Amino acid sequence: MALEHAILVSLSERAGSGYELTRRFEKSIGLFWSATHQQIYRVLKRMEEAGWVAVDVVTQSGRPDKKVYTVSDGGRAELVRWLAEPDPSAGPVELAVKIRGATFGDPAKVAEEIVRHRAKHAERLDVYRQIEKRDFPAPADLHGQHLHQY
């Protein structure tokens, strides 16, 4: 996942300036996806060039003008596409962002992704349990290095 998708989810929830997005990332999406102020501004510029966000310049008294970003039709289409697209290489961070943004796409597709992730983790757990049975058949009898490995 690119930072672009996390920003599209955040802006779909509420329009905002780069500064406001940074604050939101620190308080919500940032719990599972972190981005610096500089990263957010660089990505917003790319997103504007790609036509994924629209910018409304707000004149402020005694301060520089403020750019308020909203998701454009192109950005909504990209978000819907990304939310529906299975990604075998996606980890828990991408899944968390997809869950947060599910309402802006097809929630059933996001649910399918959750099921796929759960199955992948269940398979991994089965492998770990097989290793445990093979290498540590009597855990109560372990001590020292073998206990630590267990």
Side-chain angles (χ1 to χ4, degrees), residues 25-79:
F25 268 70
E26 290 172 357
K27 294 178 182 176
S28 62
I29 288 181
L31 297 173
F32 41 85
W33 181 277
S34 61
T36 66
H37 191 70
Q38 294 84 2
Q39 286 174 308
I40 288 173
Y41 275 102
R42 277 194 308 272
V43 170
L44 282 169
K45 182 176 167 75
R46 281 197 313 262
M47 292 172 73
E48 182 181 4
E49 291 168 356
W52 290 0
V53 295
V55 181
D56 194 21
V57 178
V58 177
T59 304
Q60 301 187 107
S61 177
R63 294 193 285 179
D65 292 346
K66 177 173 148 177
K67 291 183 175 182
V68 177
Y69 297 88
T70 57
V71 179
S72 68
D73 289 342
R76 275 188 287 285
E78 171 57 21
L79 184 57

